[in-house]
Amino acid sequence: MKHSAESLRQMKSTTPIPMLTAYTAPIARSLEKVGIPVLLVGDSVGMVEMGFDSTRHVTLEHMEYHVGAVRRGAPNTHIIGDLPYDSDRDPETALRSAQRLLEAGADSVKLEGPKYDVIRHLVSSGIAVVGHTGLTPQTATSFKQVGRDQQDAARVVEEAERIAEAGAFMIVLEHIPDALADTITRTVPVPTIGIGAGSACDGQVLVINDAIGMGEKWPPFSRQYAYVGKAIEDAAAEYAHQVRARTF
Ligand code: KIV
């Protein structure tokens, strides 16, 4: 059964939500096969798959391409499409961008930061929205944990509350102290999905490349459940050896 925004919202405080990012059809197929209920086609694709040094280089066209691929791989899974940098700069632009991601196959969209007017406009136009606060990579100047001092923590709490009030059905909390994520989770009426935010959240999202160990380095908060990068290197080395030895 494919989850709706409403069925995901109802999992608040009752059923922990495992979310992963996905960018390609074969990965999406595997994740659907094991019952991951919700996939995020994140603009992290720019850094972990496209070789950019920032998510700011990701365009709406890139996102449409990847949302389409993930939808073809996981036809029965709720897919969140990330609105890339600047595609949500004002309510009308965001609406057109969100509609394009829905047409590409997304069920809902995610956007970063305190854009309450944008969230309200999308929701009142019938689009399900996921908010995102804490570390917001599109505008961050570093990847350090945020919300560490009292003033910044209060800002993050207020942002989460206002994102929920504006109508988001779920909020991603990125790289904030566990205790702060716990407070927010107990405060807001919608599920919180942590990434580097501890286990008190209503669920967790990890970047798939980090979780399966594909890449050179992974954020300290992300566990590796496999080392796929090493498996690829071993397979390619063995293949090259066989060709050179004419044993293929
Ligand atoms: O783009 C992304 O993958 C994200 C997650 C890190 C939450 O926004």
Side-chain angles (χ1 to χ4, degrees), residues 146-216:
V146 304
R148 292 172 77 93
D149 63 56
Q150 235 181 353
Q151 198 185 350
D152 202 35
R155 175 191 65 78
V156 178
V157 173
E158 189 195 333
E159 223 171 271
E161 285 175 348
R162 294 188 61 190
I163 286 171
E165 276 163 23
F169 74 93
M170 188 183 260
I171 304 176
V172 170
L173 301 176
E174 182 165 353
H175 209 12
I176 60 173
D178 295 10
L180 179 57
D182 187 12
T183 303
I184 294 171
T185 300
R186 282 184 285 106
T187 309
V188 298
V190 297
T192 58
I193 305 293
I195 172 164
S199 57
C201 294
D202 296 298
Q204 178 178 230
V205 59
L206 288 181
V207 169
I208 186 70
N209 298 52
D210 300 340
I212 64 175
M214 202 159 92
E216 287 86 49

Side-chain angles (χ1 to χ4, degrees), residues 60 63-64 81-104 106 109 122 127:
L60 200 53
M63 293 307 299
E64 289 177 298
D82 224 356
L83 287 170
Y85 177 65
D86 213 32
S87 72
D88 57 357
R89 60 185 166 274
D90 61 66
E92 268 312 310
T93 307
L95 180 58
R96 282 194 298 277
S97 305
Q99 281 164 341
R100 283 175 57 176
L101 293 190
L102 297 192
E103 276 159 27
V109 298
L122 296 182
I127 296 178

Side-chain angles (χ1 to χ4, degrees), residues 50-80:
M50 301 171 79
F52 292 132
D53 61 358
S54 157
T55 58
R56 289 170 70 128
H57 301 291
V58 176
T59 65
L60 200 53
E61 288 72 21
H62 294 147
M63 293 307 299
E64 289 177 298
Y65 173 93
H66 287 284
V67 167
V70 170
R71 172 52 74 213
R72 287 186 287 280
N76 300 310
T77 302
H78 188 102
I79 293 174
I80 304 168

Side-chain angles (χ1 to χ4, degrees), residues 21 23 40 42-44 82 110 112 132 172 174 195 205 207:
T21 70
Y23 316 108
L40 168 65
D43 63 356
S44 51
D82 224 356
K110 178 173 83 59
E112 292 186 9
H132 182 161
V172 170
E174 182 165 353
I195 172 164
V205 59
V207 169

Side-chain angles (χ1 to χ4, degrees), residues 10 12 17 30 33 37 43 51 74 104-105 144 171 175 197 199:
Q10 283 175 12
K12 169 92 190 164
I17 303 168
S30 295
K33 198 167 166 188
D43 63 356
K144 282 205 287 254
I171 304 176
H175 209 12
S199 57

Side-chain angles (χ1 to χ4, degrees), residues 33 74 123 133 139 154 168 185 215 240:
K33 198 167 166 188
V123 172
T133 184
T139 48
T185 300

